[in-house]
Amino acid sequence: MNQFTKKTNSPDPGAEPGRTQTPWVAGLIFKMAMMMVIIAAAFWARVHLNDKTEQLAREKNRITREIQEKRTEIQTLIAQRETLRSWDNINSKIKQYNLALRSVNPSQVRYMKRFEGQVSAPSQYGGDTRVADTSAGADRTSGGVQ
Amino acid sequence: MTLFRSMAIRMALVYILLICGFGYVARVLYSVQISRHDELFGKAQNTYTTRIETHGTRGEIFDFGGSLLVGNVPTMDIVGDPANIYILNKKDDEKTETECRMIADFFEKNCENVNSDEVFRRLSKRSFISKDANGRETERECHYAVIATGVKYETAKMLKEKVKELAFHGVSFTSSYRRNYPKNTMLANILGLTNVSYDTFVPIQGIERSLNDAMTATSGSMVYERARNGRPVTYVNSKSEPTLDGYNIFLTIREPLQAIVEEELDLMCERVKPHAAWAILVDPKTGDVLAAAQRPTFNPNDRGTMTPESSANRLSELAIEPGSIMKPFVVSYALDKGFVTPNSIVDCEQGVWKYAGRLLHDTHNVGKVPVTEVIKQSSNIGTAKISVMMGAKNLDNALRSFGFGQRTGIQLKPETSGIFRPLEKWDSLSVSRFCIGQGIAVSPLQLARAYCMIANGGYKVNLRIVDRIERGDDVRVMPVIKESKSIFANPTTKKMITDMMIGVTEAGGTCTDAAIEGFHVAGKTGTAQKVINGAYSNRYYASFVGFVPAEDPKFVLLVTCDDPTVGSRYGGSASGPTFKAIAERTLKYMYVQPQLSREEWLAERSAAQKALHERKVREDALVQARREARDRQLKEQQAKQTAKKTGTTVASRPASAAKSSTIRR
């Protein structure tokens, strides 16, 4: 038996006189309790973390699935858009509705005038105000050409 | 003592039993943990580990500006699990059969191309017999029966909801995709197509085939441990290999130009009703193919339109005798090496010339004309004479320097290199025939490239149809491969040959129909007899090739009509107007400013017309004078003969006297 397990009625010769001694059992229980609490906390934390991870993973899967679905829908719409945009389709609509579309011709421009300063776009195009490019070689299709 | 002894024996027995028990446990533990560890661990792992293969999507094909030409459309495959349909109702076979019939009928009603009886047959097959390596037969449950494949995404989504409502068990929907060609027939022969074998795309032809490796997606996989509900356990290690989508291909094709070319080609087909037709538009500086079309063609979305005629890629695979469109190469080489100048006079023998024992004809009777007129009037004899003057070796050099007999470098497979015999295999006639596009076969792409070389001043450039390939941030641009040294040693050669080719579209040229208001058009007509069963026939390839604006070409355009059956069979009449229509619209699309005002252009045309008229008057006068001289000679001869008969001498008498005496008689 060591000095901690040995029962004796005599006071501890090394103890300070006048001070109350905590029984060693209480200390042991306290330490064990603390250890249990720490272990339980760690265990709980781990379980909680796993649970949280699972939840997040499920959430991630759900969002991934949704993204995938949206992508699929976008792909389908792109395919439809490209089919509608094809010249075959446009040409058939031109013929169907007898649209008076013709290819551009330089002679259709009757006169040209270069605006100086600010130019207001018509209201149906947003009515924004922009400065006309008066430099040489400016885009001929800008507001400066009528 | 006895009691003590019996206890001791019993205890000893218990010890022995315990030792034996522990020994057995130890042995089993050793076997499980050490000897058979790997085997058992593997088995255990298999039961809770799942491996999922993930597939990327095949790369798509776009035009230069990013307009989709070949894409992937999401679809769904509907599959049944026959074993599970039965398991749910295994106590009642009749009920199960009813359910199978219901499922089959439901999908027949709501999906295209689904046969109820066929689906019922597949769903009813709950097990199958499989043989292992030893030939042992085992009965296995059937968990996979195809109900419908490639169902449109919207339809599948709606069906999924309905299936949920109707509580059909054992029916699942899996995502897939199919190749879609949103522009239908546009560029179909170049783009090619794919077939599907299980879940793999098998390329058949065109870009789909030649760039299959780049477009194919790399499959990935994910290995994870799953929980009881089948979901991945996230807090244990899982391995995954990423899935890589295929590269997207961006072509050099401009969709609006392609639409123009296709539309005009259709109009030409209506006008001259040819057996086939094709056109190529190329940027001469970079070798970029801007548009390429052919008729007949097919719709890759509707395989019923595919025939051997319509699905062949004529532009890169067909080699034909080009005819007169070969002449500028020979003449430009002769000009460059100083064999002739534009004003050198060539005797075109009035349309018939015998060389190496064979006659060579011209379609127009041409006499002694300068080299410029040889090109302008497309004289076979004139070109052949220049070629003969150059010699076989120089002709071979000339044609090879323009890339004949070699592939163009375009990213299309297969591509023909044409038929161009090596010099040592030439016969005595070759030198007078190769130069006019007979006895040599070239592909439309080779012709387009050779004209690019004339247009860009003699720089050999490889044709390009793929501009770049992209996958996310990984962009690989296909380089322009152009030789740094021109094949023309003389810097004026390009101008000389271009001026001659401009004459082709001016008054007196072979294709005035190809002239475009405000521009100088350099071009050349070609009407080549088709070789059928080894002999020249009465069918023709009518071509026109040229570049605009002649001085600074923005594009080279080749239009060929295979066997026009209505109207003229000549290149100038059959293909020239289509060249003009395409070129005019292309110039507008490219925003190319006219070189000349309308008045200037008309003045130039009328000046050329006037010059032609004057030349014709001069030629007519010359012909008249020659005719008169010939008549005079004939009459003199007749007079001599008459004088011989009458015994009088008329040799010293003047012609007028002879005439008067004849009149007197």
mmCIF file of all heavy atoms in Angstrom, chain A residues 55-94:
data_model
loop_
_atom_site.group_PDB
_atom_site.id
_atom_site.type_symbol
_atom_site.label_atom_id
_atom_site.label_comp_id
_atom_site.label_asym_id
_atom_site.label_seq_id
_atom_site.Cartn_x
_atom_site.Cartn_y
_atom_site.Cartn_z
ATOM 1 N N GLN A 55 -25.731 16.795 -42.051
ATOM 2 C CA GLN A 55 -26.766 17.755 -42.464
ATOM 3 C C GLN A 55 -26.266 18.621 -43.622
ATOM 4 O O GLN A 55 -26.964 18.827 -44.619
ATOM 5 C CB GLN A 55 -27.116 18.666 -41.299
ATOM 6 C CG GLN A 55 -28.266 18.158 -40.462
ATOM 7 C CD GLN A 55 -28.611 19.127 -39.352
ATOM 8 O OE1 GLN A 55 -28.225 20.289 -39.404
ATOM 9 N NE2 GLN A 55 -29.311 18.629 -38.342
ATOM 10 N N LEU A 56 -25.035 19.103 -43.455
ATOM 11 C CA LEU A 56 -24.460 19.964 -44.505
ATOM 12 C C LEU A 56 -24.286 19.198 -45.820
ATOM 13 O O LEU A 56 -24.523 19.728 -46.894
ATOM 14 C CB LEU A 56 -23.114 20.537 -44.044
ATOM 15 C CG LEU A 56 -23.204 21.641 -42.997
ATOM 16 C CD1 LEU A 56 -21.822 21.994 -42.483
ATOM 17 C CD2 LEU A 56 -23.867 22.890 -43.566
ATOM 18 N N ALA A 57 -23.866 17.943 -45.651
ATOM 19 C CA ALA A 57 -23.671 17.122 -46.858
ATOM 20 C C ALA A 57 -24.997 16.931 -47.586
ATOM 21 O O ALA A 57 -25.060 17.001 -48.819
ATOM 22 C CB ALA A 57 -23.083 15.771 -46.485
ATOM 23 N N ARG A 58 -26.048 16.695 -46.767
ATOM 24 C CA ARG A 58 -27.380 16.527 -47.386
ATOM 25 C C ARG A 58 -27.802 17.813 -48.081
ATOM 26 O O ARG A 58 -28.320 17.798 -49.185
ATOM 27 C CB ARG A 58 -28.400 16.125 -46.315
ATOM 28 C CG ARG A 58 -28.419 14.623 -46.055
ATOM 29 C CD ARG A 58 -29.687 14.212 -45.372
ATOM 30 N NE ARG A 58 -29.749 14.703 -43.992
ATOM 31 C CZ ARG A 58 -29.227 14.070 -42.950
ATOM 32 N NH1 ARG A 58 -28.608 12.920 -43.136
ATOM 33 N NH2 ARG A 58 -29.310 14.569 -41.744
ATOM 34 N N GLU A 59 -27.544 18.922 -47.385
ATOM 35 C CA GLU A 59 -27.883 20.235 -47.950
ATOM 36 C C GLU A 59 -27.105 20.459 -49.247
ATOM 37 O O GLU A 59 -27.640 20.929 -50.242
ATOM 38 C CB GLU A 59 -27.537 21.307 -46.911
ATOM 39 C CG GLU A 59 -28.032 22.693 -47.251
ATOM 40 C CD GLU A 59 -29.550 22.856 -47.087
ATOM 41 O OE1 GLU A 59 -30.219 21.882 -46.702
ATOM 42 O OE2 GLU A 59 -30.029 23.934 -47.386
ATOM 43 N N LYS A 60 -25.816 20.101 -49.165
ATOM 44 C CA LYS A 60 -24.959 20.284 -50.357
ATOM 45 C C LYS A 60 -25.474 19.448 -51.525
ATOM 46 O O LYS A 60 -25.575 19.938 -52.641
ATOM 47 C CB LYS A 60 -23.525 19.852 -50.006
ATOM 48 C CG LYS A 60 -22.519 20.163 -51.092
ATOM 49 C CD LYS A 60 -21.253 19.390 -50.919
ATOM 50 C CE LYS A 60 -21.233 18.246 -51.911
ATOM 51 N NZ LYS A 60 -20.075 17.398 -51.834
ATOM 52 N N ASN A 61 -25.854 18.217 -51.196
ATOM 53 C CA ASN A 61 -26.375 17.336 -52.252
ATOM 54 C C ASN A 61 -27.644 17.908 -52.861
ATOM 55 O O ASN A 61 -27.848 17.864 -54.075
ATOM 56 C CB ASN A 61 -26.664 15.937 -51.691
ATOM 57 C CG ASN A 61 -25.387 15.164 -51.486
ATOM 58 O OD1 ASN A 61 -24.334 15.541 -51.985
ATOM 59 N ND2 ASN A 61 -25.463 14.104 -50.708
ATOM 60 N N ARG A 62 -28.490 18.455 -51.978
ATOM 61 C CA ARG A 62 -29.755 19.014 -52.466
ATOM 62 C C ARG A 62 -29.486 20.207 -53.401
ATOM 63 O O ARG A 62 -30.042 20.300 -54.491
ATOM 64 C CB ARG A 62 -30.604 19.475 -51.273
ATOM 65 C CG ARG A 62 -32.040 19.840 -51.639
ATOM 66 C CD ARG A 62 -32.799 20.310 -50.416
ATOM 67 N NE ARG A 62 -32.208 21.491 -49.785
ATOM 68 C CZ ARG A 62 -32.312 22.725 -50.262
ATOM 69 N NH1 ARG A 62 -33.001 22.947 -51.341
ATOM 70 N NH2 ARG A 62 -31.739 23.744 -49.646
ATOM 71 N N ILE A 63 -28.557 21.069 -52.937
ATOM 72 C CA ILE A 63 -28.239 22.253 -53.755
ATOM 73 C C ILE A 63 -27.574 21.820 -55.059
ATOM 74 O O ILE A 63 -27.875 22.341 -56.127
ATOM 75 C CB ILE A 63 -27.353 23.241 -52.955
ATOM 76 C CG1 ILE A 63 -28.180 23.833 -51.804
ATOM 77 C CG2 ILE A 63 -26.837 24.360 -53.841
ATOM 78 C CD1 ILE A 63 -27.386 24.587 -50.771
ATOM 79 N N THR A 64 -26.671 20.858 -54.960
ATOM 80 C CA THR A 64 -25.995 20.357 -56.180
ATOM 81 C C THR A 64 -27.024 19.835 -57.168
ATOM 82 O O THR A 64 -26.937 20.085 -58.367
ATOM 83 C CB THR A 64 -24.996 19.225 -55.820
ATOM 84 O OG1 THR A 64 -24.198 19.666 -54.751
ATOM 85 C CG2 THR A 64 -24.147 18.833 -56.995
ATOM 86 N N ARG A 65 -27.989 19.087 -56.608
ATOM 87 C CA ARG A 65 -29.045 18.540 -57.468
ATOM 88 C C ARG A 65 -29.836 19.661 -58.139
ATOM 89 O O ARG A 65 -30.143 19.613 -59.327
ATOM 90 C CB ARG A 65 -29.960 17.653 -56.643
ATOM 91 C CG ARG A 65 -30.317 16.366 -57.351
ATOM 92 C CD ARG A 65 -31.047 15.348 -56.521
ATOM 93 N NE ARG A 65 -31.765 15.803 -55.372
ATOM 94 C CZ ARG A 65 -31.447 15.497 -54.107
ATOM 95 N NH1 ARG A 65 -30.375 14.776 -53.879
ATOM 96 N NH2 ARG A 65 -32.175 15.916 -53.101
ATOM 97 N N GLU A 66 -30.147 20.679 -57.321
ATOM 98 C CA GLU A 66 -30.898 21.821 -57.870
ATOM 99 C C GLU A 66 -30.096 22.529 -58.950
ATOM 100 O O GLU A 66 -30.624 22.875 -60.011
ATOM 101 C CB GLU A 66 -31.233 22.816 -56.760
ATOM 102 C CG GLU A 66 -32.544 22.494 -56.073
ATOM 103 C CD GLU A 66 -32.843 23.438 -54.927
ATOM 104 O OE1 GLU A 66 -32.348 24.573 -54.949
ATOM 105 O OE2 GLU A 66 -33.545 23.006 -54.002
ATOM 106 N N ILE A 67 -28.795 22.735 -58.667
ATOM 107 C CA ILE A 67 -27.923 23.389 -59.665
ATOM 108 C C ILE A 67 -27.905 22.564 -60.942
ATOM 109 O O ILE A 67 -28.027 23.086 -62.048
ATOM 110 C CB ILE A 67 -26.490 23.578 -59.100
ATOM 111 C CG1 ILE A 67 -26.492 24.625 -58.005
ATOM 112 C CG2 ILE A 67 -25.517 23.978 -60.209
ATOM 113 C CD1 ILE A 67 -25.198 24.724 -57.229
ATOM 114 N N GLN A 68 -27.779 21.254 -60.752
ATOM 115 C CA GLN A 68 -27.733 20.350 -61.898
ATOM 116 C C GLN A 68 -29.011 20.470 -62.724
ATOM 117 O O GLN A 68 -28.975 20.523 -63.958
ATOM 118 C CB GLN A 68 -27.545 18.920 -61.391
ATOM 119 C CG GLN A 68 -27.122 17.919 -62.450
ATOM 120 C CD GLN A 68 -25.842 18.351 -63.159
ATOM 121 O OE1 GLN A 68 -24.902 18.804 -62.513
ATOM 122 N NE2 GLN A 68 -25.833 18.247 -64.473
ATOM 123 N N GLU A 69 -30.141 20.537 -62.007
ATOM 124 C CA GLU A 69 -31.424 20.661 -62.699
ATOM 125 C C GLU A 69 -31.509 21.970 -63.464
ATOM 126 O O GLU A 69 -31.973 22.012 -64.602
ATOM 127 C CB GLU A 69 -32.560 20.589 -61.685
ATOM 128 C CG GLU A 69 -33.321 19.278 -61.782
ATOM 129 C CD GLU A 69 -34.389 19.140 -60.739
ATOM 130 O OE1 GLU A 69 -35.207 20.056 -60.593
ATOM 131 O OE2 GLU A 69 -34.379 18.108 -60.043
ATOM 132 N N LYS A 70 -31.053 23.032 -62.802
ATOM 133 C CA LYS A 70 -31.080 24.357 -63.462
ATOM 134 C C LYS A 70 -30.171 24.330 -64.687
ATOM 135 O O LYS A 70 -30.518 24.869 -65.737
ATOM 136 C CB LYS A 70 -30.612 25.467 -62.504
ATOM 137 C CG LYS A 70 -31.517 25.686 -61.323
ATOM 138 C CD LYS A 70 -32.815 26.375 -61.725
ATOM 139 C CE LYS A 70 -33.792 26.364 -60.575
ATOM 140 N NZ LYS A 70 -35.166 26.133 -60.958
ATOM 141 N N ARG A 71 -29.013 23.700 -64.532
ATOM 142 C CA ARG A 71 -28.082 23.609 -65.676
ATOM 143 C C ARG A 71 -28.737 22.869 -66.826
ATOM 144 O O ARG A 71 -28.607 23.250 -67.984
ATOM 145 C CB ARG A 71 -26.808 22.869 -65.249
ATOM 146 C CG ARG A 71 -25.802 23.800 -64.676
ATOM 147 C CD ARG A 71 -24.463 23.124 -64.554
ATOM 148 N NE ARG A 71 -23.566 23.976 -63.795
ATOM 149 C CZ ARG A 71 -22.598 23.542 -63.045
ATOM 150 N NH1 ARG A 71 -22.375 22.267 -62.939
ATOM 151 N NH2 ARG A 71 -21.821 24.373 -62.400
ATOM 152 N N THR A 72 -29.412 21.802 -66.471
ATOM 153 C CA THR A 72 -30.093 21.016 -67.505
ATOM 154 C C THR A 72 -31.132 21.870 -68.209
ATOM 155 O O THR A 72 -31.254 21.847 -69.438
ATOM 156 C CB THR A 72 -30.759 19.788 -66.852
ATOM 157 O OG1 THR A 72 -29.789 19.137 -66.061
ATOM 158 C CG2 THR A 72 -31.305 18.832 -67.873
ATOM 159 N N GLU A 73 -31.881 22.639 -67.403
ATOM 160 C CA GLU A 73 -32.903 23.509 -67.998
ATOM 161 C C GLU A 73 -32.250 24.561 -68.898
ATOM 162 O O GLU A 73 -32.742 24.850 -69.993
ATOM 163 C CB GLU A 73 -33.727 24.195 -66.912
ATOM 164 C CG GLU A 73 -34.819 23.279 -66.368
ATOM 165 C CD GLU A 73 -35.499 23.822 -65.134
ATOM 166 O OE1 GLU A 73 -35.411 25.037 -64.888
ATOM 167 O OE2 GLU A 73 -36.097 23.018 -64.412
ATOM 168 N N ILE A 74 -31.119 25.111 -68.415
ATOM 169 C CA ILE A 74 -30.401 26.127 -69.216
ATOM 170 C C ILE A 74 -29.946 25.509 -70.540
ATOM 171 O O ILE A 74 -30.110 26.101 -71.602
ATOM 172 C CB ILE A 74 -29.192 26.694 -68.430
ATOM 173 C CG1 ILE A 74 -29.694 27.565 -67.274
ATOM 174 C CG2 ILE A 74 -28.273 27.519 -69.335
ATOM 175 C CD1 ILE A 74 -28.634 27.935 -66.257
ATOM 176 N N GLN A 75 -29.413 24.297 -70.437
ATOM 177 C CA GLN A 75 -28.938 23.605 -71.659
ATOM 178 C C GLN A 75 -30.082 23.408 -72.640
ATOM 179 O O GLN A 75 -29.929 23.621 -73.845
ATOM 180 C CB GLN A 75 -28.359 22.242 -71.265
ATOM 181 C CG GLN A 75 -26.979 22.323 -70.671
ATOM 182 C CD GLN A 75 -25.953 21.877 -71.685
ATOM 183 O OE1 GLN A 75 -25.975 20.746 -72.104
ATOM 184 N NE2 GLN A 75 -25.091 22.767 -72.088
ATOM 185 N N THR A 76 -31.226 23.013 -72.104
ATOM 186 C CA THR A 76 -32.395 22.797 -72.972
ATOM 187 C C THR A 76 -32.797 24.113 -73.632
ATOM 188 O O THR A 76 -33.091 24.151 -74.837
ATOM 189 C CB THR A 76 -33.572 22.254 -72.137
ATOM 190 O OG1 THR A 76 -33.091 21.220 -71.303
ATOM 191 C CG2 THR A 76 -34.685 21.729 -73.011
ATOM 192 N N LEU A 77 -32.784 25.188 -72.840
ATOM 193 C CA LEU A 77 -33.175 26.489 -73.388
ATOM 194 C C LEU A 77 -32.160 26.973 -74.431
ATOM 195 O O LEU A 77 -32.552 27.544 -75.453
ATOM 196 C CB LEU A 77 -33.296 27.521 -72.259
ATOM 197 C CG LEU A 77 -34.498 27.311 -71.325
ATOM 198 C CD1 LEU A 77 -34.412 28.240 -70.134
ATOM 199 C CD2 LEU A 77 -35.805 27.544 -72.065
ATOM 200 N N ILE A 78 -30.876 26.724 -74.169
ATOM 201 C CA ILE A 78 -29.843 27.123 -75.145
ATOM 202 C C ILE A 78 -30.093 26.409 -76.477
ATOM 203 O O ILE A 78 -30.050 27.017 -77.547
ATOM 204 C CB ILE A 78 -28.422 26.814 -74.615
ATOM 205 C CG1 ILE A 78 -28.052 27.804 -73.516
ATOM 206 C CG2 ILE A 78 -27.390 26.871 -75.730
ATOM 207 C CD1 ILE A 78 -26.757 27.502 -72.807
ATOM 208 N N ALA A 79 -30.377 25.111 -76.371
ATOM 209 C CA ALA A 79 -30.632 24.338 -77.590
ATOM 210 C C ALA A 79 -31.832 24.905 -78.345
ATOM 211 O O ALA A 79 -31.808 25.044 -79.570
ATOM 212 C CB ALA A 79 -30.860 22.877 -77.244
ATOM 213 N N GLN A 80 -32.876 25.260 -77.583
ATOM 214 C CA GLN A 80 -34.070 25.831 -78.233
ATOM 215 C C GLN A 80 -33.737 27.175 -78.868
ATOM 216 O O GLN A 80 -34.149 27.464 -79.996
ATOM 217 C CB GLN A 80 -35.182 26.028 -77.203
ATOM 218 C CG GLN A 80 -35.890 24.736 -76.859
ATOM 219 C CD GLN A 80 -36.917 24.920 -75.757
ATOM 220 O OE1 GLN A 80 -37.187 26.039 -75.332
ATOM 221 N NE2 GLN A 80 -37.449 23.822 -75.284
ATOM 222 N N ARG A 81 -32.981 27.997 -78.119
ATOM 223 C CA ARG A 81 -32.620 29.318 -78.639
ATOM 224 C C ARG A 81 -31.837 29.192 -79.946
ATOM 225 O O ARG A 81 -32.102 29.885 -80.920
ATOM 226 C CB ARG A 81 -31.769 30.058 -77.602
ATOM 227 C CG ARG A 81 -31.388 31.468 -78.014
ATOM 228 C CD ARG A 81 -30.329 32.033 -77.117
ATOM 229 N NE ARG A 81 -29.061 31.346 -77.328
ATOM 230 C CZ ARG A 81 -27.984 31.524 -76.564
ATOM 231 N NH1 ARG A 81 -28.047 32.317 -75.529
ATOM 232 N NH2 ARG A 81 -26.862 30.881 -76.814
ATOM 233 N N GLU A 82 -30.870 28.276 -79.946
ATOM 234 C CA GLU A 82 -30.032 28.122 -81.138
ATOM 235 C C GLU A 82 -30.846 27.626 -82.330
ATOM 236 O O GLU A 82 -30.591 28.017 -83.460
ATOM 237 C CB GLU A 82 -28.869 27.175 -80.858
ATOM 238 C CG GLU A 82 -27.848 27.732 -79.889
ATOM 239 C CD GLU A 82 -27.156 28.993 -80.393
ATOM 240 O OE1 GLU A 82 -27.036 29.168 -81.612
ATOM 241 O OE2 GLU A 82 -26.773 29.818 -79.541
ATOM 242 N N THR A 83 -31.816 26.764 -82.061
ATOM 243 C CA THR A 83 -32.670 26.285 -83.151
ATOM 244 C C THR A 83 -33.496 27.450 -83.699
ATOM 245 O O THR A 83 -33.640 27.601 -84.917
ATOM 246 C CB THR A 83 -33.598 25.163 -82.652
ATOM 247 O OG1 THR A 83 -32.798 24.207 -81.969
ATOM 248 C CG2 THR A 83 -34.344 24.490 -83.774
ATOM 249 N N LEU A 84 -34.023 28.271 -82.801
ATOM 250 C CA LEU A 84 -34.835 29.406 -83.249
ATOM 251 C C LEU A 84 -33.984 30.441 -83.983
ATOM 252 O O LEU A 84 -34.459 31.137 -84.864
ATOM 253 C CB LEU A 84 -35.528 30.065 -82.050
ATOM 254 C CG LEU A 84 -36.618 29.218 -81.390
ATOM 255 C CD1 LEU A 84 -37.069 29.853 -80.090
ATOM 256 C CD2 LEU A 84 -37.810 29.037 -82.314
ATOM 257 N N ARG A 85 -32.713 30.532 -83.589
ATOM 258 C CA ARG A 85 -31.820 31.537 -84.180
ATOM 259 C C ARG A 85 -31.251 31.113 -85.522
ATOM 260 O O ARG A 85 -30.593 31.899 -86.184
ATOM 261 C CB ARG A 85 -30.647 31.771 -83.216
ATOM 262 C CG ARG A 85 -30.574 33.176 -82.688
ATOM 263 C CD ARG A 85 -29.598 33.273 -81.585
ATOM 264 N NE ARG A 85 -28.249 32.880 -81.961
ATOM 265 C CZ ARG A 85 -27.183 33.207 -81.258
ATOM 266 N NH1 ARG A 85 -27.320 33.923 -80.165
ATOM 267 N NH2 ARG A 85 -25.983 32.826 -81.612
ATOM 268 N N SER A 86 -31.456 29.862 -85.883
ATOM 269 C CA SER A 86 -30.836 29.375 -87.133
ATOM 270 C C SER A 86 -31.466 30.068 -88.333
ATOM 271 O O SER A 86 -32.652 30.416 -88.316
ATOM 272 C CB SER A 86 -31.001 27.868 -87.248
ATOM 273 O OG SER A 86 -32.335 27.559 -87.520
ATOM 274 N N TRP A 87 -30.665 30.267 -89.359
ATOM 275 C CA TRP A 87 -31.117 31.000 -90.540
ATOM 276 C C TRP A 87 -32.291 30.283 -91.211
ATOM 277 O O TRP A 87 -33.210 30.907 -91.721
ATOM 278 C CB TRP A 87 -29.962 31.218 -91.515
ATOM 279 C CG TRP A 87 -30.391 31.941 -92.743
ATOM 280 C CD1 TRP A 87 -30.371 31.474 -94.015
ATOM 281 C CD2 TRP A 87 -30.951 33.270 -92.821
ATOM 282 N NE1 TRP A 87 -30.858 32.408 -94.881
ATOM 283 C CE2 TRP A 87 -31.230 33.529 -94.170
ATOM 284 C CE3 TRP A 87 -31.246 34.239 -91.874
ATOM 285 C CZ2 TRP A 87 -31.780 34.726 -94.615
ATOM 286 C CZ3 TRP A 87 -31.801 35.435 -92.317
ATOM 287 C CH2 TRP A 87 -32.060 35.673 -93.659
ATOM 288 N N ASP A 88 -32.267 28.944 -91.152
ATOM 289 C CA ASP A 88 -33.382 28.139 -91.686
ATOM 290 C C ASP A 88 -34.697 28.619 -91.119
ATOM 291 O O ASP A 88 -35.665 28.871 -91.828
ATOM 292 C CB ASP A 88 -33.204 26.676 -91.238
ATOM 293 C CG ASP A 88 -32.376 25.893 -92.200
ATOM 294 O OD1 ASP A 88 -31.949 26.488 -93.190
ATOM 295 O OD2 ASP A 88 -32.148 24.694 -91.946
ATOM 296 N N ASN A 89 -34.693 28.718 -89.798
ATOM 297 C CA ASN A 89 -35.913 29.084 -89.087
ATOM 298 C C ASN A 89 -36.312 30.531 -89.379
ATOM 299 O O ASN A 89 -37.478 30.809 -89.682
ATOM 300 C CB ASN A 89 -35.675 28.880 -87.582
ATOM 301 C CG ASN A 89 -36.934 29.088 -86.800
ATOM 302 O OD1 ASN A 89 -37.941 28.444 -87.059
ATOM 303 N ND2 ASN A 89 -36.903 30.024 -85.880
ATOM 304 N N ILE A 90 -35.321 31.429 -89.348
ATOM 305 C CA ILE A 90 -35.618 32.846 -89.596
ATOM 306 C C ILE A 90 -36.146 33.014 -91.023
ATOM 307 O O ILE A 90 -37.135 33.698 -91.255
ATOM 308 C CB ILE A 90 -34.355 33.704 -89.366
ATOM 309 C CG1 ILE A 90 -33.964 33.652 -87.881
ATOM 310 C CG2 ILE A 90 -34.578 35.151 -89.787
ATOM 311 C CD1 ILE A 90 -32.613 34.223 -87.571
ATOM 312 N N ASN A 91 -35.490 32.335 -91.946
ATOM 313 C CA ASN A 91 -35.883 32.428 -93.352
ATOM 314 C C ASN A 91 -37.316 31.931 -93.566
ATOM 315 O O ASN A 91 -38.098 32.536 -94.293
ATOM 316 C CB ASN A 91 -34.904 31.591 -94.187
ATOM 317 C CG ASN A 91 -34.789 32.120 -95.586
ATOM 318 O OD1 ASN A 91 -35.190 33.239 -95.865
ATOM 319 N ND2 ASN A 91 -34.242 31.313 -96.462
ATOM 320 N N SER A 92 -37.627 30.824 -92.885
ATOM 321 C CA SER A 92 -38.989 30.286 -93.041
ATOM 322 C C SER A 92 -40.017 31.259 -92.468
ATOM 323 O O SER A 92 -41.105 31.420 -93.016
ATOM 324 C CB SER A 92 -39.109 28.915 -92.377
ATOM 325 O OG SER A 92 -39.003 29.062 -90.992
ATOM 326 N N LYS A 93 -39.664 31.957 -91.385
ATOM 327 C CA LYS A 93 -40.580 32.950 -90.792
ATOM 328 C C LYS A 93 -40.737 34.160 -91.726
ATOM 329 O O LYS A 93 -41.829 34.694 -91.861
ATOM 330 C CB LYS A 93 -40.060 33.421 -89.429
ATOM 331 C CG LYS A 93 -40.049 32.347 -88.380
ATOM 332 C CD LYS A 93 -41.437 32.125 -87.796
ATOM 333 C CE LYS A 93 -41.399 31.008 -86.779
ATOM 334 N NZ LYS A 93 -42.080 29.804 -87.178
ATOM 335 N N ILE A 94 -39.620 34.557 -92.350
ATOM 336 C CA ILE A 94 -39.679 35.682 -93.292
ATOM 337 C C ILE A 94 -40.658 35.348 -94.418
ATOM 338 O O ILE A 94 -41.502 36.156 -94.788
ATOM 339 C CB ILE A 94 -38.275 35.998 -93.870
ATOM 340 C CG1 ILE A 94 -37.383 36.586 -92.786
ATOM 341 C CG2 ILE A 94 -38.362 36.966 -95.049
ATOM 342 C CD1 ILE A 94 -35.923 36.714 -93.173
#
